[in-house]
Amino acid sequence: MTPLRLTFGATLHPGLLVTVLLPPLLFESALNMRFRLLRENWRPIAIYAVIGTLVSSFFVGYLSVWLLSLPLAAALVFGALISSTDPISVVAVFKQCKVGRRLGILVEGESLFNDGVSVVLYSVLLAMATTGSVTGFEVGARFVSVIAGGAVVGITVGLLASRVTREFDDPPLEITLTCLVAWGAFLIAEQVHASGVIATVVAGLTVDTYGMTTGMSPSTRISVHSFWEFASFLANSLVFLLLGIQETMVNFWGDLPAIFVAFCLVLAGRAVAVYALAPVVGGLPRPWLHIMVWSGLRGALAVALVSSLPEDFPEGRRLVSLTYGVVLFSLLGQGLSMSWVLRRLGLTETADRLREYRLIQCRKTACQAVLTALGEREKAGMPAPVVAEVIDDYRRQLAQLEEETLALNVSRADLFDEQRAEARKLALSTEKSAYREAFRDGLLEEEDLLEQMNRIDHELDQLSHDSDPEQPQPDPQ
């Protein structure tokens, strides 16, 4: 595999992107995946991650021959590498808009596993394109064995690491162990000709669901999650920073018409896969399907895969330009418009009502404070007619705010859940401060303090995961 030449004379080996920068992106996503929600929604996630990726890939591949004038081999490889989705920015928008856990888990879970399917398909099709001696049966057998082998390696590495982490409680050491898991699972799987992507994802899920719950204290879990959040951000930034300076980008603007066609083709392939499989999946409201189409952004994995193409691959330089362009169009077009699309589809309605409700409550509190202050000034000798006029004005405002509260029609369940979570957070934070104060006064031993801190951190961690309200079910029509 020949290194890619950079404009300032340095070289960047494509193995750096796939082997060094890809595992942290995958491992962090797996660690943050809520396994219970993943298990409850495994069917739509599996269908879209496997069948949907194959449909989208071959749809884009075969139509690229006609619309982009690519050779069939290069077109199929392009369809495979561009079929992986990257929802990092989308998930952030989901959290900001409080879209809900189930829709979020569908988008993020599908992306997590379609990365592995995309990489395996890319590897198989690239082998066919370069050797030309692979049969259809061999393609299917290779596809299944690579995915199954990666899963076995991931589970094995994850279980071994989970068992080791039970023997000590040292955040820096356990962070180092998770690093060994992330890169170790990837490298071991690649050595045995299995999928490193699948291995890393499965290892991350195993550590999250088993290792962290049985072998890590709550404070260590917080440290591990914080480290991997930063590592993922750094890796994602480096992918675009390093590849953005390649000299192949010189032809980017010259290929702009073809890039726009490729972007439309990729978006159409995503739509075909989502809508065609909807009857098989069943139970997903129509607005959710629209969001699943629009949230299919392309990102770091597609860029990393296209950079690993052999230098003499037919139309290789053009594929790099097309991939960069599609990723750019995807991030700017779909990513920046996601919050607007969510609002247009009514998927943030509950969050908007709660926000407006809180604003009205704050205004009511302010009005009450004004009325109290005016009453005190009246007692102090302020002219009664002046005070009465202002008091009447604020009482009218209060009455209007009461009407607006009723008009919002915020359900009692929504308000109760939110207020209960806030009250619980306040109680736990206050309890934590009291224990620290007792330790400073010499009333509590350090061992007992750590025990109470770990318990409270665990409860706060669970509360932060459970307080995300469930997305209200839109009308399927």
Side-chain angles (χ1 to χ4, degrees):
M1 192 175 291
T2 306
L4 298 174
R5 188 178 303 280
L6 301 180
T7 55
F8 50 82
T11 57
L12 174 64
H13 199 283
L16 171 69
L17 296 171
V18 177
T19 306
V20 177
L21 299 180
L22 188 57
L25 296 174
L26 299 167
F27 193 77
E28 190 271 340
S29 296
L31 281 184
N32 286 317
M33 187 68 59
R34 302 267 66 81
F35 184 74
R36 178 180 62 81
L37 294 173
L38 189 66
R39 182 182 58 200
E40 292 173 356
N41 296 278
W42 71 269
R43 188 170 180 270
I45 289 174
I47 290 174
Y48 278 123
V50 179
I51 303 177
T53 301
L54 294 175
V55 170
S56 175
S57 176
F58 286 106
F59 178 91
V60 172
Y62 281 110
L63 286 185
S64 293
V65 177
W66 174 46
L67 295 176
L68 299 175
S69 301
L70 289 173
L72 179 60
L76 292 177
V77 169
F78 175 67
L81 68 87
I82 205 66
S83 62
S84 64
T85 58
D86 186 357
I88 293 177
S89 58
V90 171
V91 171
V93 174
F94 279 10
K95 292 179 180 178
Q96 181 182 0
C97 296
K98 297 184 179 179
V99 168
R101 288 176 293 181
R102 184 164 186 246
L103 178 55
I105 204 73
L106 289 176
V107 172
E108 193 172 5
E110 182 215 345
S111 174
L112 187 63
F113 289 99
N114 78 9
D115 285 352
V117 175
S118 174
V119 171
V120 173
L121 184 61
Y122 164 82
S123 302
V124 171
L125 292 176
L126 182 61
M128 289 183 61
T130 53
T131 64
S133 59
V134 182
T135 65
F137 175 78
E138 290 174 330
V139 169
R142 173 68 174 160
F143 186 82
V144 173
S145 65
V146 166
I147 291 180
V152 171
V153 171
I155 292 175
T156 304
V157 173
L159 288 176
L160 288 174
S162 299
R163 183 64 185 86
V164 170
T165 195
R166 295 168 60 182
E167 302 301 323
F168 50 83
D169 184 19
D170 185 346
L173 192 58
E174 296 190 61
I175 288 173
T176 303
L177 181 63
T178 58
C179 291
L180 294 177
V181 172
W183 277 280
F186 188 92
L187 294 173
I188 292 173
E190 292 294 321
Q191 285 296 315
V192 298
H193 305 292
S195 171
V197 173
I198 294 293
T200 302
V201 169
V202 173
L205 289 172
T206 304
V207 170
D208 178 53
T209 57
Y210 177 63
M212 284 191 165
T213 57
T214 62
M216 293 186 188
S217 65
S219 58
T220 299
R221 289 200 294 270
I222 292 174
S223 299
V224 170
H225 278 293
S226 298
F227 168 80
W228 281 105
E229 183 178 359
F230 172 74
S232 175
F233 170 78
L234 182 62
N236 203 54
S237 301
L238 286 174
V239 168
F240 292 100
L241 176 64
L242 293 175
L243 291 180
I245 57 178
Q246 288 181 212
E247 65 182 358
T248 51
M249 291 298 292
V250 173
N251 297 325
F252 176 82
W253 296 109
D255 290 335
L256 195 57
I259 288 171
F260 179 74
V261 172
F263 170 72
C264 294
L265 186 57
V266 168
L267 191 59
R270 174 71 177 173
V272 168
V274 170
Y275 293 126
L277 293 174
V280 180
V281 173
L284 297 184
R286 189 175 299 275
W288 287 24
L289 299 178
H290 302 333
I291 287 298
M292 291 184 70
V293 172
W294 199 247
S295 64
L297 279 67
R298 271 52 178 179
L301 181 58
V303 172
L305 290 179
V306 78
S307 73
S308 66
L309 286 172
E311 196 172 63
D312 58 349
F313 187 77
E315 300 285 346
R317 293 298 181 183
R318 191 173 177 218
L319 291 188
V320 172
S321 181
L322 290 174
T323 302
Y324 267 90
V326 170
V327 169
L328 180 62
F329 275 47
S330 174
L331 293 176
L332 294 181
Q334 296 167 255
L336 294 179
S337 63
M338 182 56 61
S339 59
W340 178 84
V341 175
L342 288 169
R343 287 193 298 269
R344 289 288 296 175
L345 293 175
L347 297 180
T348 62
E349 182 180 358
T350 299
D352 290 341
R353 289 204 306 269
L354 287 172
R355 180 179 178 182
E356 190 173 352
Y357 174 86
R358 289 192 291 267
L359 176 60
I360 290 176
Q361 297 309 303
C362 290
R363 291 177 60 193
K364 288 167 64 176
T365 302
C367 287
Q368 293 285 5
V370 169
L371 291 173
T372 301
L374 288 174
E376 294 295 330
R377 295 302 296 269
E378 185 178 15
K379 293 177 183 179
M382 183 175 286
V386 175
V387 175
E389 181 181 345
V390 180
I391 287 177
D392 288 342
D393 179 44
Y394 274 89
R395 283 176 176 169
R396 283 193 296 269
Q397 290 189 39
L398 272 175
Q400 182 179 351
L401 290 171
E402 290 290 353
E403 293 178 1
E404 291 179 8
T405 301
L406 294 174
L408 279 176
N409 193 27
V410 181
S411 72
R412 290 182 179 272
D414 289 333
L415 294 179
F416 181 77
D417 288 344
E418 180 176 276
Q419 292 168 355
R420 181 177 57 183
E422 290 301 319
R424 189 62 181 161
K425 288 178 182 178
L426 176 62
L428 290 171
S429 299
T430 304
E431 185 181 353
K432 198 172 186 179
S433 299
Y435 284 127
R436 285 173 176 165
E437 188 67 28
F439 175 72
R440 284 193 294 267
D441 293 340
L443 302 176
L444 193 65
E445 297 295 330
E446 182 177 4
E447 182 180 350
D448 296 327
L449 173 67
L450 291 176
E451 181 182 350
Q452 296 303 320
M453 293 297 102
N454 286 336
R455 176 184 62 81
I456 294 173
D457 286 340
H458 175 70
E459 291 187 36
L460 286 171
D461 183 52
Q462 289 297 115
L463 191 61
S464 65
H465 289 152
D466 296 339
S467 61
D468 181 16
E470 196 63 45
Q471 172 65 26
Q473 294 288 337
D475 189 326
Q477 299 303 321

